[in-house]
Amino acid sequence: MSDDELYQKCLDVLVENDRGSHTIPAPGLYPHQWLWDSCFIAIGQRHYDVTRAQQELKSLLRGQWHNGMLPNMILTRDFIGKQSASFWQSDLSIQSPDDYATSGITQPPMLAEAVVKIGDKLAKDERLTWYKLMYPHILAFHQWLYKERDFDKSGLVSLVHPWESGLDNTPPWMSEIYSHGMPIWIKIIEVTRLDKILTRFRTDTKFALPGERLSTIDGLLLYSMQRKLRRGHYKVNNKKNPTNIAIADINYNCILIRANHHLKTIAKTLNKPLPKNLISQMKKSEESLEQLWDPYTNQYYSKNTNTNKLIKVSSIGALLPLYAGSISRDRAKGLVELLKSNHLFNTDFPVPSVPVNSEWFNERLYWQGPTWINMNWLIIDGLKRYGYIEEAERLSRQSISLVSKSGVSEYFSPRSGRSAGAINFSWTSALTIDLIALNKNS
Ligand code: GLC
């Protein structure tokens, strides 16, 4: 399939998944609006309809909480949305928006990146109007992250649920969750093998093969963490409750560092000085990223905020400091070596979400091995900024060919390239469009 044909195919998927004000990630499996999905989607839409791309991001603002948090999901208003609303009960928090039911947790801060990428497509006046509209919302979100989630004032923000990382069952999170021990009711379900019966009632496996989704027990563990947060009305105070899992997630903090850079660009364009304390928090984030570096294995990891120990379980997060852009050239060189290593991240259809030498690696299991196009996009962007143009171009071509060969799917086997998860996935479409468009212009 030619790039033009693939571009059109991806555009058709986005039109199909368009729900007017926003785009769903995929029909059936993901019926709501998701935060970082919409950001990636808008990055693709800007190439063929910049007004629609702006609409995609404006629709995210409906869900913003009074305290600035952007929730990872804004729920639909239909029957399924009502079911999800009773699961989340966001109205338990006085901070939740008055007119929309949302989740009670957040997701990676890709908004500033998407806003700037759209800004690049606008004439100067329009760009100023666009930035003026979005700036206070991004500012409030970043301020909320530092106020509520920088528990030890280190500059690194902590997450309280793996859904916030966007990489739901990524090994560093699952290993921490396992080490906390299972709630007794899940233990009973496991011992009595009741999970086999519960599996029959799962709806997600109607849209993707069971071996490509979380196990029922893992799913229950994540649900039980959500229930705990709901019981606390989504007020997270780590000092009062250090038994809660809190992780300074490498993926998340790298995206925040890059988003801070974009927020600075927006503020500068508008001639609005950023609050002084925010500027020093931003600086601290960049410095503290080095706390996540392990000199023994030459890798970055996530950190358990309560124990202050690195979680030395590798994942694709190890490569994300390239995207953050704040690490030294030397460190970046080391990460490019990881990317090129056949024992780690270099496969026939890269980049695997877990290095292939990890005991966790499973080529079809969600965030425990498969290749995801949004991760490739972030790595490509980082490679370019560090001057690894050839490597970036190669990965970009490999990503486009993978989608062309296997379809616009949610994720792919890094070994065979076979598609996995949902089909007609929006961010795969949007970012493929972006990669094709960027290749044409380069
Ligand atoms: C899954 C992914 C998450 C994504 C959501 C909707 O939960 O792990 O990153 O935002 O699906 O696509």
Side-chain angles (χ1 to χ4, degrees):
M1 189 185 298
S2 72
D3 279 2
D4 287 344
E5 283 165 340
L6 180 60
Y7 188 107
Q8 188 56 46
K9 186 175 169 187
C10 291
L11 202 155
D12 292 345
V13 168
L14 289 176
V15 170
E16 189 70 22
N17 293 348
D18 192 334
R19 295 294 175 270
S21 63
H22 68 278
T23 310
I24 56 165
L29 194 53
Y30 303 115
H32 310 286
Q33 180 178 21
W34 267 263
L35 174 57
W36 76 332
D37 293 66
S38 275
C39 298
F40 290 128
I41 289 164
I43 288 172
Q45 286 172 330
R46 76 193 166 117
H47 292 290
Y48 59 87
D49 187 348
V50 76
T51 311
R52 181 61 190 79
Q54 287 176 291
Q55 174 53 44
E56 187 73 24
L57 299 187
K58 281 195 255 180
S59 68
L60 282 173
L61 308 181
R62 305 172 302 169
Q64 189 159 33
W65 284 33
H66 302 305
N67 57 9
M69 181 183 84
L70 285 170
N72 74 333
M73 291 159 77
I74 302 175
L75 309 175
T76 54
R77 291 183 187 271
D78 56 10
F79 174 68
I80 292 180
K82 290 213 172 80
Q83 282 182 323
S84 300
S86 65
F87 171 76
W88 281 103
Q89 296 179 35
S90 53
D91 53 359
L92 285 173
S93 168
I94 51 165
Q95 301 294 345
S96 66
D98 308 325
D99 300 330
Y100 290 92
T102 71
S103 67
I105 56 172
T106 190
Q107 235 186 3
M110 283 301 301
L111 184 58
E113 170 85 84
V115 165
V116 169
K117 282 268 181 305
I118 288 176
D120 291 346
K121 289 275 178 191
L122 299 171
K124 195 171 172 218
D125 283 1
E126 289 173 328
R127 188 182 316 132
L128 281 178
T129 315
W130 171 237
Y131 282 180
K132 218 182 239 166
L133 171 73
M134 299 306 284
Y135 172 73
H137 298 280
I138 305 173
L139 178 66
F141 181 35
H142 288 215
Q143 285 181 312
W144 172 81
L145 282 170
Y146 283 112
K147 181 164 177 271
E148 300 286 328
R149 296 302 189 79
D150 183 359
F151 297 131
D152 51 6
K153 301 292 163 225
S154 66
L156 295 175
V157 303
S158 291
L159 307 182
V160 294
H161 196 292
W163 288 335
E164 293 195 309
S165 75
L167 319 184
D168 307 12
N169 65 339
T170 186
W173 271 93
M174 294 317 291
S175 71
E176 281 301 294
I177 293 170
Y178 294 160
S179 72
H180 260 67
M182 280 185 194
I184 188 80
W185 62 275
I186 300 183
K187 193 119 220 137
I188 292 171
I189 289 175
E190 192 184 40
V191 172
T192 56
R193 295 182 163 252
L194 211 62
D195 54 315
K196 303 273 172 285
I197 296 170
L198 291 177
T199 303
R200 284 192 223 140
F201 295 98
R202 283 174 59 164
T203 49
D204 61 336
T205 45
K206 289 202 182 89
F207 303 102
L209 296 172
E212 299 172 0
R213 305 281 301 170
L214 275 83
S215 70
T216 298
I217 292 294
D218 282 359
L220 289 173
L221 285 168
L222 302 204
Y223 281 119
S224 90
M225 288 176 74
Q226 183 274 345
R227 272 167 40 126
K228 203 166 170 188
L229 291 166
R230 187 177 73 195
R231 278 201 299 275
H233 299 186
Y234 304 108
K235 237 189 252 155
V236 178
N237 185 332
N238 199 50
K239 290 226 167 59
K240 278 199 196 129
N241 199 351
T243 58
N244 283 338
I245 295 181
I247 290 179
D249 184 89
I250 177 75
N251 182 51
Y252 199 99
N253 279 283
C254 288
I255 292 177
L256 177 61
I257 288 172
R258 183 71 183 142
N260 284 338
H261 169 86
H262 288 308
L263 179 57
K264 280 185 205 156
T265 306
I266 296 170
K268 203 164 159 212
T269 312
L270 292 175
N271 225 345
K272 280 190 196 282
L274 283 169
K276 281 218 171 62
N277 66 329
L278 182 62
I279 295 176
S280 68
Q281 283 157 328
M282 288 174 164
K283 193 160 165 267
K284 251 187 168 175
S285 296
E286 295 188 7
E287 289 161 5
S288 297
L289 193 60
E290 283 310 291
Q291 289 179 20
L292 305 183
W293 171 256
D294 174 49
Y296 304 103
T297 54
N298 283 329
Q299 277 197 41
Y300 287 94
Y301 295 97
S302 294
K303 187 180 79 171
N304 179 322
T305 314
N306 295 324
T307 60
N308 208 25
K309 287 214 172 95
L310 290 182
I311 305 163
K312 289 203 202 171
V313 178
S314 190
S315 72
I316 193 157
L319 301 173
L320 265 280
L322 281 170
Y323 175 70
S326 61
I327 56 168
S328 67
R329 304 221 145 255
D330 231 34
R331 287 267 198 271
K333 190 165 168 253
L335 298 192
V336 174
E337 275 160 25
L338 302 184
L339 188 63
K340 287 182 172 173
S341 157
N342 292 344
H343 304 297
L344 300 167
F345 292 105
N346 189 25
T347 56
D348 286 343
F349 301 92
V351 178
S353 44
V354 167
V356 291
N357 70 351
S358 162
E359 56 182 4
W360 290 82
F361 178 80
N362 175 337
E363 64 181 296
R364 298 187 67 76
L365 183 55
Y366 216 34
W367 290 100
Q368 296 189 0
T371 293
W372 290 73
I373 297 300
N374 66 333
M375 289 290 122
N376 285 10
W377 187 91
L378 295 167
I379 294 167
I380 291 165
D381 190 76
L383 285 170
K384 277 190 197 156
R385 276 181 286 113
Y386 276 100
Y388 290 94
I389 306 299
E390 219 175 90
E391 287 79 356
E393 275 169 6
R394 187 176 323 122
L395 185 53
S396 173
R397 275 273 32 117
Q398 284 171 316
S399 307
I400 295 168
S401 315
L402 175 58
V403 180
S404 172
K405 159 186 142 74
S406 303
V408 193
S409 303
E410 191 179 6
Y411 44 96
F412 306 86
S413 158
R415 291 220 197 272
S416 67
R418 254 179 65 196
S419 85
I423 52 168
N424 295 336
F425 195 66
S426 292
W427 84 37
T428 304
S429 312
L431 297 176
T432 302
I433 285 178
D434 192 59
L435 293 176
I436 292 175
L438 295 180
N439 277 358
K440 270 199 174 154
N441 295 338
S442 66

